[in-house]
Amino acid sequence: MKKFVALFITMFFVVSMAVVAQPASAAKYSELEEGGVIMQAFYWDVPGGGIWWDTIRSKIPEWYEAGISAIWIPPASKGMSGGYSMGYDPYDFFDLGEYNQKGTIETRFGSKQELINMINTAHAYGIKVIADIVINHRAGGDLEWNPFVGDYTWTDFSKVASGKYTANYLDFHPNEVKCCDEGTFGGFPDIAHEKSWDQHWLWASDESYAAYLRSIGVDAWRFDYVKGYGAWVVKDWLNWWGGWAVGEYWDTNVDALLNWAYSSGAKVFDFPLYYKMDEAFDNKNIPALVSALQNGQTVVSRDPFKAVTFVANHDTDIIWNKYLAYAFILTYEGQPVIFYRDYEEWLNKDRLNNLIWIHDHLAGGSTSIVYYDSDEMIFVRNGYGSKPGLITYINLGSSKVGRWVYVPKFAGACIHEYTGNLGGWVDKYVYSSGWVYLEAPAYDPANGQYGYSVWSYCGVG
């Protein structure tokens, strides 16, 4: 069955490559650092059988055409669960699907060569690859006597098939150095990052795990569960290897998130914004979102250059009114991530492509919120560089709405509605005083109605 599926994917990929000519480009390589849109290229329990790297590879041409600048891939190393593992239970960091251990040669996602082929294809399209880095813990070791706990623990990693980064109880907490670090996860052995042996094999040498990922083409890093170890680990990793990076610090304490971001040198997922969007768009409480933005209770409102924004991911998916949430993050400040299943399965792909285009061509500069109530929100992006700025009008109501708003940035200009949600080609002229009457459609995606409009200067693109 796997061979049949792999053959189908290969045929589809060849056809896709024929339809979408490979660009000569490294054009998108700069866009990740400049806030380009990221695709989370997996979800929890993606199909097994070793087809996922090929699946991602087959979609890259279309994602390139949509304007995606980078793909975030799942943890690539062999996990304790072998072919069933999603990679968050790392056993042998240096087995990317090439050694027969834990009941399989390939990982759940495929072979090392299929991984490399996928990365090479992404690079051919100027798309960067973000590796998911799981270094808080290890899993799947053998039992050994551990004098620091007075019992047997699953901390013997002397039998890893790669022969690299063997470990024992001294490489985990508690040990002779200290009892613990910032946190543990799932009862798995907690890696002692302060030990030089562990640093050497994880990042601090040319034979490290980081070096190995670099050697196959990984460009950037997403660090899992960074609450579990010191920010200095990520900082030192980036001092060694550089590259764009983001950490998963799952918390709503903005001060804690930003302290971690500044200490590590990485960006951070904006969990406070995520929960405020749920409150706003699912519970018709836009004032709560606006209050959070105006009072510095989100990462994006405190430091948008540190904020990676999202609507759903492989761990959490609580927002139901996703179109409005995507309209928000793809036109507001911060660096947005699109969830694979939203794009490929659950939402209208054309609508998301339109918002990606708007993000890439219009959404620049600082933000001013010019109107809000329980159902409506209107904000202006003031433009920066090649991106002229925009006006986003979000409507949670079941009826079309319109308002006079003061937008002096666009005074005297022709502005165009760039989503088509108002039923076709719509232009407006802003009075020289800065006032204009704007409209937003009703929100009812079941009937093809999307409760947002986006405006910018006529003739862009």
Side-chain angles (χ1 to χ4, degrees):
M1 180 64 180
K2 179 189 170 185
K3 290 182 179 179
F4 173 79
V5 174
L7 177 61
F8 174 80
I9 289 173
T10 301
M11 292 172 64
F12 174 79
F13 179 72
V14 170
V15 171
S16 298
M17 294 286 280
V19 172
V20 181
Q22 286 197 39
S25 86
K28 281 196 168 59
Y29 268 98
S30 64
E31 292 184 10
L32 175 62
E33 285 76 10
E34 295 171 0
V37 179
I38 299 165
M39 176 69 72
Q40 180 178 358
F42 66 99
Y43 53 92
W44 196 258
D45 284 346
V46 300
I51 66 170
W52 196 248
W53 299 139
D54 285 339
T55 299
I56 295 175
R57 187 183 181 207
S58 72
K59 295 183 181 299
I60 286 170
E62 181 184 6
W63 292 349
Y64 165 80
E65 287 295 304
I68 298 299
S69 67
I71 55 174
W72 160 22
I73 64 171
S77 297
K78 186 72 62 68
M80 174 179 71
S81 306
Y84 300 98
S85 172
M86 282 297 298
Y88 293 95
D89 56 348
Y91 171 67
D92 187 344
F93 286 97
F94 292 86
D95 181 0
L96 303 180
E98 55 193 308
Y99 298 103
N100 190 355
Q101 57 184 339
K102 298 300 178 182
T104 181
I105 295 176
E106 294 189 348
T107 67
R108 181 190 193 100
F109 315 115
S111 69
K112 176 185 175 182
Q113 188 58 54
E114 289 166 341
L115 170 61
I116 291 172
N117 292 344
M118 181 272 292
I119 292 172
N120 289 343
T121 299
H123 288 171
Y125 282 86
I127 292 176
K128 282 194 172 181
V129 177
I130 305 168
D132 202 318
I133 305 299
V134 185
I135 56 171
N136 174 75
H137 53 270
R138 291 182 80 169
D142 295 322
L143 276 174
E144 62 179 348
W145 177 254
N146 187 334
F148 295 100
V149 299
D151 202 350
Y152 287 90
T153 54
W154 301 94
T155 49
D156 178 4
F157 290 85
S158 63
K159 299 175 184 175
V160 290
S162 69
K164 298 178 180 180
Y165 193 16
T166 58
N168 60 32
Y169 63 86
L170 293 171
D171 298 295
F172 304 94
H173 296 126
N175 58 20
E176 81 282 11
V177 178
K178 60 182 184 180
C179 71
C180 48
D181 60 7
E182 285 75 2
T184 60
F185 182 82
F188 294 127
D190 186 59
I191 294 175
H193 300 89
E194 70 276 3
K195 302 294 287 287
S196 59
W197 175 262
D198 299 87
Q199 294 177 22
H200 174 91
W201 283 110
L202 286 175
W203 76 87
S205 75
D206 288 336
E207 58 179 353
S208 65
Y209 176 50
Y212 191 42
L213 294 178
R214 273 283 195 234
S215 74
I216 64 167
V218 164
D219 305 288
W221 323 98
R222 179 267 184 186
F223 291 91
D224 182 65
Y225 187 59
V226 296
K227 291 177 76 170
Y229 52 92
W232 67 268
V233 172
V234 172
K235 184 176 180 61
D236 202 40
W237 183 298
L238 296 179
N239 285 340
W240 270 87
W241 301 104
W244 183 98
V246 63
E248 181 211 32
Y249 197 108
W250 197 330
D251 205 300
T252 57
N253 184 326
V254 179
D255 290 328
L257 269 68
L258 283 173
N259 286 340
W260 181 87
Y262 295 139
S263 298
S264 67
K267 296 191 176 194
V268 66
F269 288 107
D270 198 343
F271 280 96
L273 177 67
Y274 172 69
Y275 289 109
K276 287 299 179 182
M277 287 195 299
D278 176 49
E279 190 174 350
F281 302 136
D282 288 345
N283 296 298
K284 290 196 172 185
N285 193 357
I286 285 178
L289 172 60
V290 172
S291 176
L293 294 169
Q294 292 180 334
N295 293 294
Q297 297 170 353
T298 65
V299 178
V300 74
S301 59
R302 291 270 292 276
D303 188 342
F305 298 103
K306 284 294 186 182
V308 175
T309 58
F310 65 100
V311 174
N313 65 29
H314 62 293
D315 282 326
T316 179
D317 188 8
I318 61 173
I319 296 173
W320 289 99
N321 284 337
K322 288 185 174 182
Y323 289 108
L324 302 184
Y326 276 115
F328 181 85
I329 69 168
L330 285 161
T331 62
Y332 207 81
E333 297 174 70
Q335 184 159 15
V337 178
I338 293 179
F339 183 45
Y340 179 94
R341 300 198 84 170
D342 287 340
Y343 187 83
E344 292 291 342
E345 300 177 21
W346 294 338
L347 301 183
N348 183 310
K349 189 178 293 187
D350 290 336
R351 295 291 177 183
L352 292 179
N353 286 344
N354 170 252
L355 287 169
I356 295 169
W357 185 93
I358 288 170
H359 174 274
D360 289 348
H361 292 84
L362 305 177
S366 60
T367 307
S368 304
I369 298 172
V370 296
Y371 179 83
Y372 69 93
D373 60 24
S374 61
D375 289 337
E376 300 172 43
M377 180 182 187
I378 306 172
F379 60 84
V380 176
R381 295 291 302 279
N382 293 302
Y384 183 80
S386 63
K387 298 181 179 182
L390 53 75
I391 309 165
T392 296
Y393 192 162
I394 290 175
N395 174 28
L396 279 164
S398 57
S399 301
K400 181 179 178 181
V401 292
R403 294 203 176 270
W404 285 96
V405 290
Y406 180 58
V407 289
K409 171 187 168 49
F410 295 96
C414 170
I415 59 173
H416 176 70
E417 202 290 302
Y418 279 89
T419 70
N421 290 343
L422 289 172
W425 191 276
V426 181
D427 288 346
K428 300 267 187 177
Y429 286 89
V430 184
Y431 283 109
S432 59
S433 62
W435 286 91
V436 65
Y437 186 79
L438 297 180
E439 297 168 295
Y443 179 73
D444 185 3
N447 293 316
Q449 294 177 297
Y450 300 85
Y452 60 89
S453 58
V454 181
W455 309 77
S456 187
Y457 294 107
C458 296
V460 178

